């Protein structure tokens, strides 16, 4: 007796007999027929589809279980169907077919228990009803046996379990070996510890969202042109749906149903956040609110309360610590609850560990639910606790930002405080904007002031303007003129930092009037100082100097020596800008006397102001000493910011005196210190200055890199003015690198930026350098026209010294054009202006350039006189490089005059100076002149 069963395996009784014939079907067709169709409008996740599909390929190493998780409506089922259909289309991947089962895990009425699900799967496998075990364990064992049998007989099956509620619902359905891949979708993150791979689905980006709507319309209404006609509104619709595929599908359906409806009309309807969920939930077959409701119903009471409270956070994400303050519960208990919500995909992980975010539409859903439970949950108390947390923490962080701070203990150090402020910035700004609408105007006002120093430091100027405007409006509503004045001063300072100078001036004038109204004359003096500062930035420096003097007198009348000292120091700074250096030093001497009377010793800020005035008088040695003392005082007081500023000023003076290596060291130190305190903006300023030093050292690639980094930092910190100034320096470096075309482009950009910043003086500097770059490209006529425009700008700003700089450059252009007579006339005119304004150094430069033009004309005697005059002045002003150039030109003129001994002496001085300065090429040129003079002398 021989029984043979081939091509399959048996479930049930095996009959033995002499003749038994059993035929098995080649496949179980019912399995494949049960897979729902995939959408033709699928978009945006092709890479993920390929990755998941690859896990299903025969012979793939690794766990056979793949879990797709995500928020309700995010497209898990569609992704699974796309993968399944593509996998089924691959030859020999799944000859046994596919088993698809919707577990309806979040629908109480339709949810399949493990027992029901196993029964359904066994029926799909054509197991006779009377052979299906009654208990879960028996059904699970039979399913595993069958799936293993199919795999062993080369009839591999794909198992798709859609919409699973939890691991308990799924675990009995899983095969016992890796021969049968399983694809699971769930709103919860499911783990089985069986080597499964979990993919968390995120929402679609804006472009993919627009493309999704386009594809749905293309299928439903071919030729529909609304997206092409309204691209901005299409993007707006994608944003309003926050990338959620379910919401995008509903938007597309609404447009399909009404072909005359514009995208703008639908976007306007959805912009109302109070009605958005309602308008995205009108279709009974697909409703956003219903999708969220299923997940919400599965929450415990404590999870639900936290879920609703999270929608009260004013920003887009929240920390575990802040969530604990909302719930008023233990931090680690709340951390566990947040983990539960994340596994349910009702919240997601934020940008960093311990931060959490809600999808925009989920947030609206939570807000709706929270309003319905307001009496029970008392949300106003919760959000008030949150606001207090933000305010108290911001105060503790701000305490670490100032010089000589005392650490309140909330943060370990300055870096930790800045990290917290950076992370929470959006929440803090939004708290200022919303707290007053939730019965906490005190938080809005107080937090606006607390944030000022941080927002200035990080150059979040738009935020600073907005929060300071909010505080001023709230103070005005309260009817307190003094508080309003203080808030307007803060608002004006923010506007001034953003170089919105006209608006800043109005704000400070309003503050001064309000202080005057309540007879607060200290406030009047402070506001007057702020007005003076804006006037100075606007180019009204003479008026600013007078107003600072008036402010100082007000402080003197009040007996406020500190306020008087600040006003006088600021006045001295303005006077130095006006080149009234002696008057500036007189004001600072008075400040010094005031500080000594108070027994405070030397004031580092006064020393810096004195150093600037002395540098303006070209008394560099004294200025260097003052800057070094100021840096040491700040270092001793642990004022890193002040120390960095002192090093910056020191670097400027050292550069002027051609102590370039030391200047580069000073600016490098400033960069390091500004970086330490997190001041990226001033770090950019210092890096820009470092670039100039590197340019002088002929380290051109390093100079270009430094100024480029400065430009990037200025752009990051929204300082267009700083960017414009840095582009001038970049242009200079490019010109020195023999890249005049690129240099011209940088100077042109700088001029446009500074013009937009309403800085005619800076624009003049940029156009002056642009003229020089155009000269380098041999565009002489355009160069002269550009110089003319620069001179006009300097005349407008009453800067005679800079006007003379332009005239000097015009002379150089004429010389390169071969127009030597015009060049000599221009240099003479420049020298006259320099002499008129007391700018001896500039006068020397004019004489030096004039000597070159005179040499070209063969007017050697005049050239020698001009070069000798230049050398004498350069020596007196301490410019060793200028002195060396002048002596080199003098040597050439003397050789031509046959005065060889004098030529040897002049050329020898040039050689030594160039050698000391490390200017190798120039030293070689001077040495050739020296040798020429010596040869001429020997032949006489």
């Amino acid at each position: 007796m021989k029984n043979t069963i081939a091509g399959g395996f048996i479930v049930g009784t095996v009959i033995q007999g002499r003749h038994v014939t059993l035929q098995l079907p080649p496949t179980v067709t019912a399995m494949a027929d049960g897979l729902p169709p995939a959408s033709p409008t699928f978009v945006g996740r092709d890479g993920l589809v390929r990755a998941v599909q690859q896990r299903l390929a025969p012979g793939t190493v690794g766990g056979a279980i793949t879990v797709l998780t995500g928020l309700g409506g995010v497209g898990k089922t569609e992704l699974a169907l796309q993968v399944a259909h593509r996998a089924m289309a691959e030859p020999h991947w799944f000859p046994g077919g596919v088993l698809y089962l919707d577990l309806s895990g979040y629908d109480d009425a339709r949810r399949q228990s493990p027992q029901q699900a196993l029964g359904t799967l066994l029926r799909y496998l054509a197991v006779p009803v009377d052979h299906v075990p009654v208990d879960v364990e028996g059904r699970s064992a039979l399913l595993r046996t069958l799936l293993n049998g199919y795999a062993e007989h080369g009839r591999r099956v794909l198992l798709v379990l859609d919409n699973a509620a939890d691991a308990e619902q799924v675990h009995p359905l899983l095969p016992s070996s890796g021969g049968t891949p399983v694809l699971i979708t769930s709103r919860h993150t499911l783990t089985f510890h069986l080597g499964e791979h979990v993919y968390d689905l995120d929402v679609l980006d804006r472009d993919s969202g627009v493309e999704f709507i386009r594809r749905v319309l293309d299928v439903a209404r071919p030729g529909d042109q609304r997206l092409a006609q309204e691209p901005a509104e299409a993007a707006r619709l994608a944003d309003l749906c926050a990338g959620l595929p379910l919401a995008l599908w509903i938007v597309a359906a609404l447009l399909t149903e009404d072909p005359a409806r514009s995208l703008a009309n639908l976007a306007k309807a959805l912009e109302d956040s109070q009605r958005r969920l309602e308008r995205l939930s009108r279709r009974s077959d697909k409703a956003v609110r219903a999708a969220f409701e299923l997940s919400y119903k599965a929450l415990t009471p404590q999870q639900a309360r936290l879920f609703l409270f999270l929608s009260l956070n004013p920003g887009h994400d929240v920390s575990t610590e802040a969530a604990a303050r909302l719930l008023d519960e233990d931090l680690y208990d709340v951390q566990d609850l947040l983990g539960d919500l994340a596994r349910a995909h009702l919240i997601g992980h934020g940008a960093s560990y311990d931060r959490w975010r809600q999808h925009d539409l989920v947030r609206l859903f939570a807000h709706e639910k929270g309003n319905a439970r307001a009496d029970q949950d008392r949300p106003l108390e919760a959000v008030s606790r949150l606001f207090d947390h933000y305010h108290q923490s911001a105060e503790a962080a701000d305490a670490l930002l100032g010089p000589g701070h005392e650490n309140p203990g909330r943060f370990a150090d300055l870096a930790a405080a800045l990290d917290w402020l950076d992370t929470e910035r959006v929440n803090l700004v939004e708290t200022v904007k919303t707290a007053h609408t939730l019965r906490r105007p005190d938080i809005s006002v107080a937090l606006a002031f607390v944030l000022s120093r941080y927002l200035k430091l990080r150059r979040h100027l738009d935020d600073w303007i907005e929060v300071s405007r909010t505080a001023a409006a709230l103070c005005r509503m309260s009817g307190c003129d003094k508080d309003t004045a203080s808030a307007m001063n803060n608002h004006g300072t923010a506007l001034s930092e953003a170089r919105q100078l006209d608006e800043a001036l109005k704000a400070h004038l309003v503050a001064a009037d309000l202080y005057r109204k309540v007879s607060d004359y200290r406030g009047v003096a402070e506001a007057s100082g702020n007005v003076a500062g804006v006037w100075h930035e606007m180019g009204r420096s003479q008026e600013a100097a007078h107003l600072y003097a008036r402010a100082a007198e007000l402080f003197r009348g009040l007996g406020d020596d500190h306020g008087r000292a600040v006003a006088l120091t600021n006045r001295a700074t303005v006077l130095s800008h006006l080149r009234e250096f002696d008057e500036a030093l007189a004001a600072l001497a008075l400040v010094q006397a005031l500080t000594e009377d108070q027994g405070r010793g030397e004031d580092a800020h006064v020393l810096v102001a004195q150093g600037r005035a002395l540098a303006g008088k070209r008394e560099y040695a004294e200025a260097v000493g003052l800057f070094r003392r100021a840096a040491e005082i700040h270092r001793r007081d642990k004022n890193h910011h002040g120390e960095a500023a002192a090093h910056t000023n020191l670097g400027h003076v050292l550069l002027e005196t051609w102590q370039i290596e030391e200047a580069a060291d000073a600016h490098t130190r400033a960069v390091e210190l500004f970086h330490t305190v997190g001041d990226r903006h001033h770090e950019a300023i210092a890096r820009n200055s470092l670039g100039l030093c590197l340019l002088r050292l002929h380290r051109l690639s390093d100079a270009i890199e430094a100024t480029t980094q400065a430009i990037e930092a200025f752009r990051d910190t929204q300082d267009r003015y700083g960017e414009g100034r840095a582009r001038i320096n970049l242009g200079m470096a490019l010109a020195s690198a023999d890249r005049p075309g690129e240099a011209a482009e940088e100077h042109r950009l700088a001029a446009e930026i500074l013009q937009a910043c309403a800085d005619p003086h800076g624009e003049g500097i940029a156009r002056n350098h642009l003229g020089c770059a155009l000269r380098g490209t041999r565009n002489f006529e355009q160069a002269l026209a550009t110089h003319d425009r620069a001179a006009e700008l300097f005349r407008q700003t009453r800067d005679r010294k800079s006007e003379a700089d332009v005239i000097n450059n015009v002379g150089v252009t004429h010389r390169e054009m071969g127009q030597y007579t015009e060049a000599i006339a221009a240099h003479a005119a420049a020298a006259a202006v320099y002499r008129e304004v007391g700018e001896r150094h500039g006068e020397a430069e004019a004489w030096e350039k004039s000597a070159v033009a005179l040499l070209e004309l063969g007017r050697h005697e005049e050239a020698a006189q001009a070069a000798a005059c230049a050398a004498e002045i350069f020596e007196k002003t301490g410019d060793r490089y200028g002195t060396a150039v002048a002596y080199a030109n003098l040597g050439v003129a003397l050789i031509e005059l046959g005065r060889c001994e004098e030529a040897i002496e002049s050329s020898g001085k040039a050689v030594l100076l160039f050698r000391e300065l490390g200017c190798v090429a120039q030293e070689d040129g001077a040495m050739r002149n020296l040798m020429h003079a010596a040869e001429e002398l020997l032949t006489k």
Side-chain angles (χ1 to χ4, degrees):
M1 182 185 300
K2 182 178 180 182
N3 296 329
T4 302
I5 301 176
F9 51 93
I10 297 301
V11 177
T13 306
V14 175
I15 304 173
Q16 290 186 329
R18 184 173 299 275
H19 301 288
V20 176
T21 302
L22 177 64
Q23 293 183 331
L24 292 177
T27 59
V28 183
T29 56
M31 288 191 255
D33 292 344
L35 187 65
S39 171
T41 62
F42 183 79
V43 66
R45 290 171 173 159
D46 288 339
L48 185 55
V49 169
R50 286 192 296 270
V52 177
Q53 182 180 339
Q54 190 57 43
R55 285 184 52 79
L56 307 182
T60 300
V61 178
I65 302 171
T66 302
V67 184
L68 306 178
T69 70
L71 172 67
V74 81
K76 302 178 295 295
T77 295
E78 184 57 44
L79 180 66
L81 293 176
Q82 293 286 337
V83 171
H85 277 284
R86 296 184 194 189
M88 294 303 297
E90 292 288 341
H92 312 301
W93 275 31
F94 293 105
V98 57
L99 288 171
Y100 171 85
L101 182 62
D102 182 357
L103 296 173
S104 303
Y106 296 88
D107 185 337
D108 292 341
R110 297 173 52 240
R111 174 172 173 159
Q112 295 221 11
S113 67
Q115 186 172 30
Q116 291 170 322
L118 286 164
T120 301
L121 291 173
L122 290 171
R123 284 197 301 276
Y124 286 168
L125 288 169
V127 175
V129 174
D130 56 345
H131 288 91
V132 175
V134 176
D135 60 309
V136 170
E137 291 78 7
R139 292 184 176 189
S140 180
L142 179 57
L143 176 65
R144 289 168 181 161
T145 299
L146 289 173
L147 292 176
N148 288 343
Y150 267 88
E152 290 170 0
H153 285 77
R155 289 162 60 179
R156 192 165 175 259
V157 173
L158 172 63
L159 177 59
V160 180
L161 302 174
D162 191 19
N163 206 12
D166 48 41
E168 288 72 20
Q169 186 184 24
V170 173
H171 203 282
L173 315 181
L174 298 178
S176 58
S177 74
T180 302
V182 185
L183 190 57
I184 304 168
T185 74
S186 177
R187 299 183 184 192
H188 280 73
T189 301
L190 306 184
T191 55
F192 308 100
H193 307 293
L194 296 173
E196 64 274 5
H197 192 103
V198 180
Y199 292 92
D200 285 311
L201 271 66
D202 204 349
V203 295
L204 300 176
D205 60 31
R206 175 190 288 174
D207 290 343
S208 297
V210 171
E211 181 60 23
F212 180 87
I213 299 172
R214 186 191 315 280
R215 290 190 183 185
V216 173
L217 284 178
D218 284 346
V219 170
R221 292 190 175 276
D224 194 307
Q225 295 298 309
R226 282 176 287 179
L227 267 73
Q229 293 167 353
E230 300 178 80
E233 296 304 327
R236 180 66 183 137
L237 284 171
D239 288 343
L240 288 167
C241 293
L244 188 69
L246 175 59
L248 290 164
W249 188 94
I250 293 169
V251 162
L254 292 171
L255 291 171
T256 299
E257 291 167 0
D258 188 351
R261 187 174 195 177
S262 70
L263 272 64
N265 177 272
L266 181 54
K268 186 71 174 176
L270 295 179
E271 280 175 354
D272 182 357
S273 62
Q274 304 298 320
R275 303 285 303 280
R276 192 180 309 160
L277 274 182
E278 175 186 341
R279 288 171 175 146
L280 290 174
S281 302
R282 288 183 174 178
R283 297 179 62 92
S284 58
D285 56 337
K286 289 183 182 286
V288 173
R289 184 185 285 120
F292 297 159
E293 186 76 41
L294 292 174
S295 296
Y296 175 71
K297 284 181 177 179
L299 300 178
T300 67
Q302 192 74 330
Q303 291 170 349
R305 186 164 176 261
L306 177 58
F307 169 68
L308 301 182
F309 278 178
L310 290 176
S311 69
L312 299 172
N313 185 63
H316 295 298
D317 71 347
V318 65
S319 68
T320 302
E321 181 182 29
R325 292 296 295 269
L326 271 169
L327 203 58
D328 200 22
E329 297 287 351
D330 176 76
L331 177 71
Y332 295 103
D333 289 342
V334 171
Q335 188 174 43
D336 290 341
L337 291 172
L338 288 165
D340 295 338
L341 294 177
R343 283 184 286 276
H345 288 89
L346 284 170
I347 63 173
H349 291 281
S352 59
Y353 174 73
D354 231 21
R355 297 197 69 79
W356 315 85
R357 58 179 175 81
Q358 279 183 319
H359 184 276
D360 289 353
L361 296 179
V362 174
R363 183 186 179 91
L364 291 177
F365 173 79
H367 194 67
E368 280 186 2
K369 286 289 185 182
N371 286 340
R373 290 180 40 160
D375 292 340
Q376 175 183 349
D377 289 338
R378 300 189 299 278
L380 283 179
E381 294 179 17
V383 77
S384 187
R385 289 192 298 268
L386 179 67
F387 291 158
D388 284 333
H389 162 70
Y390 283 144
H391 178 226
Q392 292 160 8
S393 298
E395 274 192 322
D398 178 66
L400 293 173
L401 300 187
H405 59 261
E406 290 187 9
N407 192 341
R410 169 72 170 80
F411 300 101
D413 52 25
L414 174 62
L418 283 172
D419 181 65
W420 184 87
L421 287 166
D422 289 339
T423 303
E424 299 290 358
R425 175 174 62 88
V426 173
N427 284 326
L428 297 170
V429 170
E430 291 300 317
T431 294
V432 173
K433 291 158 60 177
T434 60
H436 61 94
T437 68
L438 296 170
R439 304 180 188 177
R440 293 299 304 272
D442 58 314
I443 290 290
S444 289
V445 174
L447 187 54
F449 279 98
V450 168
L451 290 176
S452 295
R453 183 156 43 188
Y454 162 72
L455 294 174
K456 177 182 179 181
L457 177 71
R458 291 301 210 209
R459 296 285 296 181
H460 297 301
L461 301 184
D462 290 341
D463 287 342
W464 188 10
I465 290 169
E466 191 164 12
V467 300
S468 61
R469 182 189 294 120
T470 298
L474 291 171
C475 289
R476 190 180 298 112
M477 289 170 58
S478 74
C480 179
D481 289 335
K482 186 171 181 178
D483 288 349
T484 304
S486 181
M488 288 301 292
N489 252 345
N490 185 34
H491 185 48
T493 303
L495 290 164
S496 181
E497 282 291 323
R499 297 196 66 78
Q500 298 180 30
L501 301 179
D502 290 334
E503 295 303 312
L505 181 59
K506 292 176 186 176
H508 289 312
L509 289 172
V510 168
D513 287 342
L514 288 171
Y515 279 129
R516 198 172 289 110
K517 179 180 176 182
V518 297
S519 301
D520 183 346
Y521 295 107
R522 179 173 281 100
V524 172
E526 291 174 352
S528 297
N530 289 334
V531 170
V534 175
W535 276 351
H536 177 49
E537 291 295 323
M538 296 173 80
R540 298 166 61 179
S541 298
Q542 287 286 2
E543 296 167 88
H546 290 311
L547 190 54
Y548 274 131
R550 285 170 52 193
E553 283 302 302
L554 278 172
F555 281 122
R556 187 173 70 84
L558 295 167
D560 185 344
D561 287 340
H562 176 71
R564 184 184 178 198
V566 171
L568 288 172
T569 302
N570 288 334
R571 179 170 183 267
T573 298
V574 175
L575 290 169
S576 291
H577 176 79
L578 291 168
R579 308 191 69 76
E580 298 175 13
F581 302 117
D582 290 333
E583 192 173 349
L585 288 168
L588 292 168
L590 181 55
V591 174
Q592 199 167 22
L594 287 172
T595 57
E596 288 174 358
D597 289 345
Q598 296 168 6
R600 292 195 291 129
E602 288 186 314
D603 187 313
H605 297 97
V606 175
L607 293 176
V608 167
Q610 287 175 324
R612 287 175 177 168
L614 289 168
K617 295 183 68 176
R618 310 193 76 81
E619 297 179 12
Y620 293 125
E622 293 84 350
V624 166
L626 291 172
F627 291 140
R628 291 193 191 281
R629 277 157 54 193
E632 177 57 29
I633 290 170
H634 283 310
R635 189 193 62 77
R636 182 190 65 203
D637 294 340
K638 297 182 180 179
N639 182 349
H640 299 313
H641 203 279
E643 183 185 354
H647 279 293
T648 298
N649 284 285
L650 175 62
H652 292 327
V653 173
L654 292 170
L655 184 63
E656 282 289 319
T657 57
W658 281 84
Q659 300 177 64
I660 307 175
E661 292 283 1
E662 294 88 338
D665 289 343
H667 287 305
T668 299
R669 179 59 178 153
V671 168
E672 293 168 351
L673 287 165
F674 282 130
H675 183 77
T676 297
V677 298
D679 190 340
R680 182 159 166 73
H681 180 245
H682 279 92
E683 181 184 343
I685 294 173
R687 199 174 290 280
N688 191 31
S689 298
L690 175 60
L692 274 179
C693 295
L694 296 169
L695 173 60
R696 290 278 184 89
L697 290 168
H698 300 283
R699 292 166 52 185
L700 300 182
S701 60
D702 291 337
I704 291 170
E705 181 182 2
T707 49
T708 300
Q709 288 176 347
I711 289 168
E712 291 172 356
F714 281 128
R715 289 174 67 86
D716 290 345
T717 55
Q718 305 174 58
D719 184 357
R720 292 284 283 165
Y721 173 78
E723 179 190 347
R725 294 286 182 148
R727 286 193 183 278
I728 293 173
N729 289 347
L730 177 57
M732 292 166 60
L734 290 167
S736 295
D738 199 24
R739 294 156 65 180
E742 295 172 71
E745 183 58 28
E746 289 299 329
H747 291 311
R748 188 176 288 108
L749 276 171
E752 292 172 358
I753 290 170
L754 294 168
Q755 183 181 38
C757 292
D759 179 17
H761 189 269
E763 182 190 350
I765 295 172
R767 293 198 183 280
N768 189 24
H769 284 288
L770 174 58
C772 296
L774 290 169
R775 182 178 73 226
T777 63
R778 316 304 288 175
N779 291 319
F780 295 123
E781 295 299 334
Q782 194 177 351
L784 290 173
T786 303
H787 282 312
D788 285 345
R789 175 58 181 152
E792 180 184 343
L793 289 165
F794 289 133
R795 283 192 291 273
Q796 289 176 11
T797 55
R798 301 175 185 177
D799 186 348
R800 295 280 285 156
K801 187 267 180 188
S802 293
E803 183 183 353
D805 291 340
V806 176
I807 298 170
N808 228 5
N809 285 327
V810 167
V812 176
T813 302
H814 280 303
R815 189 187 78 213
E816 294 198 11
M817 294 171 71
Q819 299 172 355
Y820 301 117
T821 301
E822 292 86 343
I824 293 165
H827 294 314
V833 176
Y834 284 131
R835 194 159 46 247
E836 175 190 328
V837 298
E839 176 51 48
R840 296 284 286 160
H841 187 267
E843 182 184 353
E845 289 186 331
W847 284 121
E848 181 264 315
K849 289 176 171 58
S850 182
V852 176
L854 287 163
L855 284 170
E856 293 287 350
L857 280 178
R859 293 160 60 176
H860 301 127
E861 187 64 47
E862 294 172 80
Q865 292 173 2
C869 185
E872 180 183 355
I873 298 173
F874 278 136
E875 281 186 326
K876 289 180 178 178
T877 58
D879 185 345
R880 293 187 296 157
Y881 182 82
T883 303
V885 172
Y887 274 127
N889 289 329
L890 178 57
V892 173
L894 291 170
I895 290 171
E896 295 296 333
L897 291 169
R899 294 155 60 178
C900 297
E901 291 183 0
E902 295 173 71
I904 291 171
E905 181 182 359
S906 296
S907 298
K909 289 180 179 179
V911 168
L912 291 175
L913 285 168
F914 282 134
R915 184 175 300 160
E916 290 173 8
L917 294 169
C919 301
V920 178
Q922 292 87 339
E923 179 190 346
D924 289 344
M927 180 61 75
R928 284 194 296 272
N929 291 335
L930 175 61
M931 298 303 293
H932 185 197
E935 290 171 1
E936 288 290 320
L937 183 61
L938 290 173
T939 59
K940 283 187 177 182

